[in-house]
PDB file of all heavy atoms in Angstrom:
ATOM      1  N   ARG A 605     -30.071  10.634 -28.662  1.00  0.00           N
ATOM      2  CA  ARG A 605     -30.735   9.361 -28.376  1.00  0.00           C
ATOM      3  C   ARG A 605     -30.013   8.629 -27.258  1.00  0.00           C
ATOM      4  O   ARG A 605     -28.780   8.501 -27.262  1.00  0.00           O
ATOM      5  CB  ARG A 605     -30.763   8.489 -29.620  1.00  0.00           C
ATOM      6  CG  ARG A 605     -31.207   7.038 -29.370  1.00  0.00           C
ATOM      7  CD  ARG A 605     -31.416   6.284 -30.667  1.00  0.00           C
ATOM      8  NE  ARG A 605     -32.609   6.802 -31.357  1.00  0.00           N
ATOM      9  CZ  ARG A 605     -32.968   6.382 -32.575  1.00  0.00           C
ATOM     10  NH1 ARG A 605     -32.234   5.489 -33.230  1.00  0.00           N
ATOM     11  NH2 ARG A 605     -34.061   6.885 -33.140  1.00  0.00           N
ATOM     12  N   VAL A 606     -30.803   8.111 -26.323  1.00  0.00           N
ATOM     13  CA  VAL A 606     -30.301   7.194 -25.297  1.00  0.00           C
ATOM     14  C   VAL A 606     -30.784   5.792 -25.666  1.00  0.00           C
ATOM     15  O   VAL A 606     -31.995   5.559 -25.790  1.00  0.00           O
ATOM     16  CB  VAL A 606     -30.807   7.594 -23.900  1.00  0.00           C
ATOM     17  CG1 VAL A 606     -30.349   6.575 -22.857  1.00  0.00           C
ATOM     18  CG2 VAL A 606     -30.317   8.985 -23.526  1.00  0.00           C
ATOM     19  N   ASN A 607     -29.836   4.877 -25.864  1.00  0.00           N
ATOM     20  CA  ASN A 607     -30.144   3.481 -26.180  1.00  0.00           C
ATOM     21  C   ASN A 607     -29.944   2.625 -24.930  1.00  0.00           C
ATOM     22  O   ASN A 607     -28.886   2.677 -24.304  1.00  0.00           O
ATOM     23  CB  ASN A 607     -29.225   2.951 -27.275  1.00  0.00           C
ATOM     24  CG  ASN A 607     -29.332   3.736 -28.566  1.00  0.00           C
ATOM     25  OD1 ASN A 607     -30.283   3.578 -29.319  1.00  0.00           O
ATOM     26  ND2 ASN A 607     -28.340   4.594 -28.812  1.00  0.00           N
ATOM     27  N   ILE A 608     -30.963   1.831 -24.575  1.00  0.00           N
ATOM     28  CA  ILE A 608     -30.862   0.898 -23.447  1.00  0.00           C
ATOM     29  C   ILE A 608     -31.308  -0.460 -23.972  1.00  0.00           C
ATOM     30  O   ILE A 608     -32.508  -0.728 -24.091  1.00  0.00           O
ATOM     31  CB  ILE A 608     -31.744   1.326 -22.264  1.00  0.00           C
ATOM     32  CG1 ILE A 608     -31.546   2.811 -21.964  1.00  0.00           C
ATOM     33  CG2 ILE A 608     -31.439   0.484 -21.021  1.00  0.00           C
ATOM     34  CD1 ILE A 608     -32.643   3.417 -21.162  1.00  0.00           C
ATOM     35  N   GLY A 609     -30.331  -1.284 -24.305  1.00  0.00           N
ATOM     36  CA  GLY A 609     -30.678  -2.522 -24.980  1.00  0.00           C
ATOM     37  C   GLY A 609     -31.355  -2.189 -26.302  1.00  0.00           C
ATOM     38  O   GLY A 609     -30.827  -1.437 -27.132  1.00  0.00           O
ATOM     39  N   SER A 610     -32.554  -2.687 -26.526  1.00  0.00           N
ATOM     40  CA  SER A 610     -33.288  -2.421 -27.756  1.00  0.00           C
ATOM     41  C   SER A 610     -34.222  -1.233 -27.639  1.00  0.00           C
ATOM     42  O   SER A 610     -34.924  -0.888 -28.607  1.00  0.00           O
ATOM     43  CB  SER A 610     -34.103  -3.668 -28.153  1.00  0.00           C
ATOM     44  OG  SER A 610     -35.054  -3.978 -27.143  1.00  0.00           O
ATOM     45  N   LYS A 611     -34.249  -0.589 -26.471  1.00  0.00           N
ATOM     46  CA  LYS A 611     -35.166   0.528 -26.255  1.00  0.00           C
ATOM     47  C   LYS A 611     -34.436   1.853 -26.440  1.00  0.00           C
ATOM     48  O   LYS A 611     -33.237   1.960 -26.189  1.00  0.00           O
ATOM     49  CB  LYS A 611     -35.795   0.430 -24.868  1.00  0.00           C
ATOM     50  CG  LYS A 611     -36.594  -0.864 -24.697  1.00  0.00           C
ATOM     51  CD  LYS A 611     -37.346  -0.906 -23.395  1.00  0.00           C
ATOM     52  CE  LYS A 611     -38.169  -2.188 -23.302  1.00  0.00           C
ATOM     53  NZ  LYS A 611     -38.975  -2.251 -22.073  1.00  0.00           N
ATOM     54  N   GLN A 612     -35.201   2.868 -26.878  1.00  0.00           N
ATOM     55  CA  GLN A 612     -34.600   4.148 -27.228  1.00  0.00           C
ATOM     56  C   GLN A 612     -35.415   5.294 -26.665  1.00  0.00           C
ATOM     57  O   GLN A 612     -36.649   5.235 -26.618  1.00  0.00           O
ATOM     58  CB  GLN A 612     -34.512   4.279 -28.753  1.00  0.00           C
ATOM     59  CG  GLN A 612     -33.652   3.206 -29.398  1.00  0.00           C
ATOM     60  CD  GLN A 612     -33.838   3.140 -30.900  1.00  0.00           C
ATOM     61  OE1 GLN A 612     -34.810   3.653 -31.438  1.00  0.00           O
ATOM     62  NE2 GLN A 612     -32.900   2.496 -31.576  1.00  0.00           N
ATOM     63  N   LEU A 613     -34.712   6.337 -26.255  1.00  0.00           N
ATOM     64  CA  LEU A 613     -35.327   7.583 -25.805  1.00  0.00           C
ATOM     65  C   LEU A 613     -34.684   8.717 -26.583  1.00  0.00           C
ATOM     66  O   LEU A 613     -33.484   8.956 -26.465  1.00  0.00           O
ATOM     67  CB  LEU A 613     -35.110   7.788 -24.298  1.00  0.00           C
ATOM     68  CG  LEU A 613     -35.733   6.754 -23.352  1.00  0.00           C
ATOM     69  CD1 LEU A 613     -35.257   7.000 -21.923  1.00  0.00           C
ATOM     70  CD2 LEU A 613     -37.259   6.800 -23.416  1.00  0.00           C
ATOM     71  N   ASP A 614     -35.465   9.423 -27.394  1.00  0.00           N
ATOM     72  CA  ASP A 614     -34.964  10.526 -28.207  1.00  0.00           C
ATOM     73  C   ASP A 614     -35.511  11.850 -27.687  1.00  0.00           C
ATOM     74  O   ASP A 614     -36.682  11.942 -27.293  1.00  0.00           O
ATOM     75  CB  ASP A 614     -35.391  10.374 -29.669  1.00  0.00           C
ATOM     76  CG  ASP A 614     -34.789   9.148 -30.334  1.00  0.00           C
ATOM     77  OD1 ASP A 614     -33.863   8.566 -29.738  1.00  0.00           O
ATOM     78  OD2 ASP A 614     -35.232   8.780 -31.434  1.00  0.00           O
ATOM     79  N   MET A 615     -34.663  12.874 -27.722  1.00  0.00           N
ATOM     80  CA  MET A 615     -35.118  14.199 -27.295  1.00  0.00           C
ATOM     81  C   MET A 615     -34.180  15.252 -27.842  1.00  0.00           C
ATOM     82  O   MET A 615     -32.982  15.016 -28.028  1.00  0.00           O
ATOM     83  CB  MET A 615     -35.178  14.282 -25.772  1.00  0.00           C
ATOM     84  CG  MET A 615     -35.835  15.551 -25.251  1.00  0.00           C
ATOM     85  SD  MET A 615     -36.153  15.438 -23.474  1.00  0.00           S
ATOM     86  CE  MET A 615     -35.314  16.902 -22.923  1.00  0.00           C
ATOM     87  N   LYS A 616     -34.737  16.434 -28.094  1.00  0.00           N
ATOM     88  CA  LYS A 616     -33.944  17.569 -28.555  1.00  0.00           C
ATOM     89  C   LYS A 616     -33.358  18.285 -27.341  1.00  0.00           C
ATOM     90  O   LYS A 616     -34.049  18.510 -26.338  1.00  0.00           O
ATOM     91  CB  LYS A 616     -34.813  18.526 -29.362  1.00  0.00           C
ATOM     92  CG  LYS A 616     -34.035  19.673 -30.012  1.00  0.00           C
ATOM     93  CD  LYS A 616     -34.953  20.568 -30.830  1.00  0.00           C
ATOM     94  CE  LYS A 616     -35.428  19.809 -32.074  1.00  0.00           C
ATOM     95  NZ  LYS A 616     -36.194  20.714 -32.985  1.00  0.00           N
ATOM     96  N   VAL A 617     -32.070  18.618 -27.426  1.00  0.00           N
ATOM     97  CA  VAL A 617     -31.419  19.339 -26.331  1.00  0.00           C
ATOM     98  C   VAL A 617     -32.125  20.674 -26.141  1.00  0.00           C
ATOM     99  O   VAL A 617     -32.218  21.476 -27.078  1.00  0.00           O
ATOM    100  CB  VAL A 617     -29.924  19.557 -26.626  1.00  0.00           C
ATOM    101  CG1 VAL A 617     -29.279  20.395 -25.521  1.00  0.00           C
ATOM    102  CG2 VAL A 617     -29.213  18.228 -26.768  1.00  0.00           C
TER     103      VAL A 617
END
Side-chain angles (χ1 to χ4, degrees):
R605 169 171 290 175
V606 176
N607 300 283
I608 313 161
S610 62
K611 300 186 178 183
Q612 299 166 343
L613 297 172
D614 296 347
M615 189 169 125
K616 186 178 290 187
V617 176

